[in-house]
Amino acid sequence: MSVSQVIPSPRTTGDARDRILRYTLVERINHWIAGLSYIYCLITGLAFWSPYMFWMAIIVGGGPAARFWHPWFGLVFTASVLWMYRIWRSDMVTTDADRAWWKAAKYYIRNEDENLPPIGRFNYGQKMFFWLMFYGATLLALSGFALWFFESIPWSLRWLRYLAVAVHVAAGFATIGGFIIHVYMGTAMVRGGFTSIVRGEVSSAWAKTHHRLWYEQVTKKTSGQK
Amino acid sequence: MSQATLQIRRISGHAGPVPGAGVERAQTVCKLVDTTTCIGCKACEVACLEWNGYTFSETVFDNSYQTMPETAWNYWNLIKFNEHEREDGTLMLLMRKDQCMHCAEPGCLAACPADGAIVQYANGIVDFQQDHCIGCGYCVTGCPFNIPKFNPSTKKMFKCTLCADRVAQGLEPACIKACPTGCLHFGTKDDMTDLAETRAQQLREHYGFEKAGVYDPTGVGGTGVIYVLHDAANPEAYGGLPKNPHIPWVVRLWKGPAKWIGNLAMLGGIIGVALHYLRFGPKRVESAKDQKGGQP
Ligand code: HEM
Ligand code: SF4
Ligand code: SF4
């Protein structure tokens, strides 16, 4: 948070002093490395999943190219998820506030946010998505290696190949489920969320509504620093 | 790999029906290997290399007559050797010509994701088309016989073609031509099955091999290479011929029900969020001050 907490942005007008830094530049860059490498893996993975989606491999350069790059982009994805783990792990621990929020989650779904208890930097849904991606990436990487270097697995250990296919597909689909919801919420549902992961900042009204405990924490800290 | 003018029955990784399938009736072809008259001379190995343009590979000594542990991307046909001790303590030298079995229901083809990388011709031959192969190795996972082999420098998969190119021109496979003892035969599946059964009966009735029989495993729908064995109850003794080969159940699940479940789940997810948007719409944070242009 060395960059000023308050960044005026031409795209989001309004009162410049009203902006709060939610994601640092490094966090944003990492998020988009994870996001783009995941989308590449998704496109090429789905191409191999079903003949009806094989054209997706063609648009990214053809089957052999997709087969070559998928594991490398998978590694990039896994590395950026591990980095998120390093910096966000403590933010992602379930708290009592989360448990209270989760009990009232139906109001969140119905957009009746005024009935929700306050929560910290991330809500329980975001935390679950984080852990899903963390464990998903771990399993995808482990099973992915067996798929990558299939020819090094001897015939007597062929069960490893069977296991790897099953784990890779199951973990892939678990993350796809989370990914659909994540993209929907980040773009269409929670307005302001997408800007926050692009430009890094949210309005104080947004922070107050969605993450009140975090809002109180950062505004306290900022005034303390000043 | 051949550019033979053969009708196609099945195509790997193909969306929709197979063009031209069932237009022309073709005889199912079959190779018969009589292990009881094989002397392990490896003439068939050399003929295979010659016809397909490969050179002999380095041998690996393992204290027996076995020359190499298994087939390779540039070595499609290998005699598997086994010193088999029978119950009465006598020794048998078992030789089995190992190569692609040309399964009627090929696990390699079922697993392959690349359109047209593996085809099954109407005559039953299963053939890899390297120009469509993406080198993913799924065929290795699908095959119950450890046959497809990877060329790491070209990243393409290779295996016995049953000389589809020769067969298309009305010739026998190269290995058949080379065999000096006549233990290899080639013809229609019906003829080869008859011949094999006759030989097995002969072995049972005149040579004292009571358990002699024909190896044509039903788990993969029957094969385009069938064996006569002295002891059909113990195919494993013949260089690890699986007793009851079938496409691995993980592969069947993966290419069958899992496909439907996965696709429906993805579709369900997308429809679900779309319905949520239609019903509840976006969450906006609107303080009076912020109403205009406060949001993207
Ligand atoms: C370190 C991470 C990863 C490695 C090493 C890896 C490796 C592989 C390999 C070698 C394959 C076989 C075919 C191919 O190369 O495309 C594969 C298939 C696949 N991968 Fe990954 N992958 C990784 C991450 C991911 C991620 C993040 C996804 C996201 C959804 C994913 C989804 C898939 C899917 C859906 C398939 C196809 C399964 C099928 O054919 O049915 N992978 N992966
Ligand atoms: S033996 Fe293996 S490679 Fe040959 S057709 Fe059967 S499954 Fe395919
Ligand atoms: S490696 Fe095997 S499964 Fe993969 S595309 Fe090539 S032939 Fe098909």
Side-chain angles (χ1 to χ4, degrees), chain A residues 126-168:
Chain A
Q126 289 170 307
K127 289 180 184 181
M128 283 198 298
F129 178 65
F130 174 84
W131 291 112
L132 172 71
M133 281 307 194
F134 175 71
Y135 290 112
T138 309
L139 290 175
L140 282 166
L142 289 176
S143 56
F145 269 101
L147 296 177
W148 197 356
F149 302 107
F150 65 89
E151 80 274 23
S152 325
I153 299 176
W155 184 243
S156 53
L157 294 180
R158 57 192 179 280
W159 59 270
L160 268 175
R161 270 193 291 264
Y162 307 149
L163 183 70
V165 160
V167 170
H168 207 73

Side-chain angles (χ1 to χ4, degrees), chain B residues 107-126:
Chain B
C108 56
L109 192 149
C112 177
D115 197 351
I118 305 179
V119 295
Q120 184 180 44
Y121 300 119
N123 66 11
I125 294 178
V126 178

Side-chain angles (χ1 to χ4, degrees), chain A residues 78-104:
Chain A
T78 309
S80 58
V81 168
L82 289 180
W83 198 81
M84 285 180 192
Y85 175 75
R86 204 172 71 80
I87 56 166
W88 286 346
R89 178 179 30 177
S90 52
D91 284 335
M92 295 296 177
V93 177
T94 309
T95 62
D96 287 339
D98 292 326
R99 280 183 271 271
W101 185 91
W102 185 239
K103 282 209 192 81

Side-chain angles (χ1 to χ4, degrees), chain A residues 37-38 41-42 44-46 48-50 66-68 70-78 137 140-149 165 168-169 171-173 175-176, chain B residues 113 134 136 138 254-255 259:
Chain A
S37 56
Y38 182 83
C41 286
L42 180 68
T44 51
L46 286 179
F48 302 131
W49 164 254
S50 164
R67 170 61 176 82
F68 179 83
H70 176 100
W72 287 105
F73 276 92
L75 283 186
V76 171
F77 171 72
T78 309
L140 282 166
L142 289 176
S143 56
F145 269 101
L147 296 177
W148 197 356
F149 302 107
V165 160
H168 207 73
V169 167
F173 272 84
T175 65
I176 291 171
Chain B
I134 62 170
C136 63
Y138 287 2
W254 169 34
K255 296 290 164 173
K259 208 112 292 188

Side-chain angles (χ1 to χ4, degrees), chain A residues 2-15:
Chain A
S2 57
V3 195
S4 120
Q5 293 285 119
V6 171
I7 310 166
S9 155
R11 275 190 64 225
T12 47
T13 59
D15 184 351

